[in-house]
Amino acid sequence: MFPGIGGRGMNPAKVKQMMKQMGINITDIDDVEQVIIRTPEKDIVFNDANVSIMNAQGVDTYQVVGTPEEVARELQIPDDDVRLVAEQTGVSEDQAREALKNANGDLAEAILALSS
Protein backbone atom coordinates (compact mmCIF):
# COMPACT_ATOMS: atom_id res chain seq x y z
CA MET A 1 0.00 0.00 0.00
CA PHE A 2 1.19 3.53 -0.70
CA PRO A 3 1.26 6.00 2.19
CA GLY A 4 -1.08 8.93 1.73
CA ILE A 5 -3.40 7.05 -0.63
CA GLY A 6 -6.82 6.56 0.74
CA GLY A 7 -10.42 7.43 0.14
CA ARG A 8 -9.54 11.12 0.27
CA GLY A 9 -6.82 11.00 -2.43
CA MET A 10 -3.12 11.65 -2.16
CA ASN A 11 -1.58 14.39 -0.08
CA PRO A 12 -0.25 17.01 -2.58
CA ALA A 13 2.87 17.62 -0.49
CA LYS A 14 3.71 13.89 -0.51
CA VAL A 15 3.12 13.69 -4.26
CA LYS A 16 5.49 16.61 -4.80
CA GLN A 17 8.10 15.01 -2.53
CA MET A 18 7.83 11.64 -4.36
CA MET A 19 8.15 13.31 -7.75
CA LYS A 20 11.23 15.23 -6.61
CA GLN A 21 12.80 11.97 -5.41
CA MET A 22 12.16 10.42 -8.83
CA GLY A 23 13.72 13.40 -10.61
CA ILE A 24 10.45 14.70 -12.05
CA ASN A 25 9.93 18.45 -12.19
CA ILE A 26 6.67 20.13 -13.25
CA THR A 27 6.37 23.82 -14.11
CA ASP A 28 3.40 25.79 -15.42
CA ILE A 29 3.62 28.27 -18.30
CA ASP A 30 1.89 31.47 -17.23
CA ASP A 31 -0.26 33.75 -19.41
CA VAL A 32 -0.82 31.27 -22.27
CA GLU A 33 -3.09 32.97 -24.79
CA GLN A 34 -3.65 30.15 -27.26
CA VAL A 35 -2.33 26.71 -28.26
CA ILE A 36 -2.72 25.50 -31.85
CA ILE A 37 -2.05 21.96 -33.05
CA ARG A 38 -1.83 21.90 -36.86
CA THR A 39 -2.50 18.85 -39.01
CA PRO A 40 -2.84 18.77 -42.81
CA GLU A 41 -6.65 18.67 -42.58
CA LYS A 42 -7.46 20.77 -39.51
CA ASP A 43 -6.24 22.96 -36.67
CA ILE A 44 -7.06 22.09 -33.06
CA VAL A 45 -7.25 25.38 -31.16
CA PHE A 46 -7.23 25.80 -27.37
CA ASN A 47 -8.20 29.40 -26.45
CA ASP A 48 -8.43 28.67 -22.71
CA ALA A 49 -5.34 26.49 -22.36
CA ASN A 50 -3.39 25.71 -19.21
CA VAL A 51 0.05 24.38 -20.15
CA SER A 52 2.46 22.47 -17.91
CA ILE A 53 5.93 21.15 -18.67
CA MET A 54 7.02 17.94 -17.00
CA ASN A 55 10.75 17.21 -17.09
CA ALA A 56 11.66 13.61 -16.37
CA GLN A 57 15.14 12.26 -17.05
CA GLY A 58 15.96 15.25 -19.28
CA VAL A 59 12.89 14.89 -21.49
CA ASP A 60 10.27 17.67 -21.56
CA THR A 61 6.63 16.64 -21.92
CA TYR A 62 4.02 19.34 -22.50
CA GLN A 63 0.52 18.90 -21.12
CA VAL A 64 -2.29 21.05 -22.54
CA VAL A 65 -5.57 21.25 -20.64
CA GLY A 66 -8.52 23.18 -22.05
CA THR A 67 -11.44 23.07 -24.43
CA PRO A 68 -10.38 22.15 -27.98
CA GLU A 69 -12.05 23.61 -31.04
CA GLU A 70 -11.47 21.93 -34.40
CA VAL A 71 -11.13 24.26 -37.38
CA ALA A 72 -10.91 22.91 -40.94
CA ARG A 73 -7.82 24.16 -42.76
CA GLU A 74 -8.37 26.01 -46.00
CA LEU A 75 -6.19 24.97 -48.91
CA GLN A 76 -3.49 27.60 -49.55
CA ILE A 77 -2.86 28.09 -53.28
CA PRO A 78 0.30 30.01 -54.21
CA ASP A 79 -0.17 32.95 -56.58
CA ASP A 80 2.56 31.51 -58.85
CA ASP A 81 0.44 28.38 -59.33
CA VAL A 82 -2.62 30.49 -60.17
CA ARG A 83 -0.67 32.49 -62.76
CA LEU A 84 0.79 29.34 -64.32
CA VAL A 85 -2.62 27.69 -64.71
CA ALA A 86 -4.13 30.93 -66.09
CA GLU A 87 -1.27 31.28 -68.63
CA GLN A 88 -1.45 27.65 -69.71
CA THR A 89 -5.21 27.62 -70.20
CA GLY A 90 -6.00 31.23 -71.18
CA VAL A 91 -8.56 31.72 -68.38
CA SER A 92 -8.76 34.44 -65.73
CA GLU A 93 -6.83 34.12 -62.47
CA ASP A 94 -10.13 33.73 -60.58
CA GLN A 95 -11.10 30.77 -62.78
CA ALA A 96 -7.61 29.30 -62.40
CA ARG A 97 -7.76 29.65 -58.59
CA GLU A 98 -11.17 27.95 -58.50
CA ALA A 99 -9.89 25.08 -60.68
CA LEU A 100 -6.88 24.65 -58.38
CA LYS A 101 -9.16 24.54 -55.33
CA ASN A 102 -11.33 21.89 -57.02
CA ALA A 103 -8.15 19.92 -57.86
CA ASN A 104 -6.76 20.17 -54.29
CA GLY A 105 -3.86 22.27 -55.58
CA ASP A 106 -2.82 19.78 -58.28
CA LEU A 107 -1.53 21.86 -61.20
CA ALA A 108 -1.85 19.18 -63.88
CA GLU A 109 -5.39 18.27 -62.84
CA ALA A 110 -6.47 21.93 -62.83
CA ILE A 111 -4.98 22.54 -66.29
CA LEU A 112 -6.63 19.40 -67.69
CA ALA A 113 -10.00 20.39 -66.21
CA LEU A 114 -9.85 23.84 -67.78
CA SER A 115 -8.54 22.59 -71.11
CA SER A 116 -11.35 20.13 -71.80
Side-chain angles (χ1 to χ4, degrees), residues 82-101:
V82 173
R83 282 192 288 276
L84 178 68
V85 171
E87 289 170 6
Q88 292 293 316
T89 59
V91 300
S92 71
E93 287 190 4
D94 289 338
Q95 290 172 306
R97 185 175 305 280
E98 189 62 33
L100 281 163
K101 283 182 183 178

Side-chain angles (χ1 to χ4, degrees), residues 2 11 18 24 28 33 39 69 71 80 98 103 105 113:
F2 293 107
N11 179 339
M18 287 172 39
I24 299 173
D28 290 330
E33 293 180 8
T39 69
E69 176 187 339
V71 180
D80 288 343
E98 189 62 33

Side-chain angles (χ1 to χ4, degrees), residues 13-53:
K14 286 190 181 208
V15 170
K16 197 170 192 175
Q17 179 185 8
M18 287 172 39
M19 289 176 57
K20 188 173 184 175
Q21 288 174 347
M22 292 186 288
I24 299 173
N25 184 29
I26 296 180
T27 55
D28 290 330
I29 299 177
D30 296 327
D31 301 326
V32 173
E33 293 180 8
Q34 187 178 57
V35 174
I36 301 172
I37 301 171
R38 296 190 189 280
T39 69
E41 296 84 28
K42 63 185 173 188
D43 290 344
I44 302 170
V45 181
F46 294 82
N47 289 312
D48 60 347
N50 294 315
V51 181
S52 300
I53 305 171

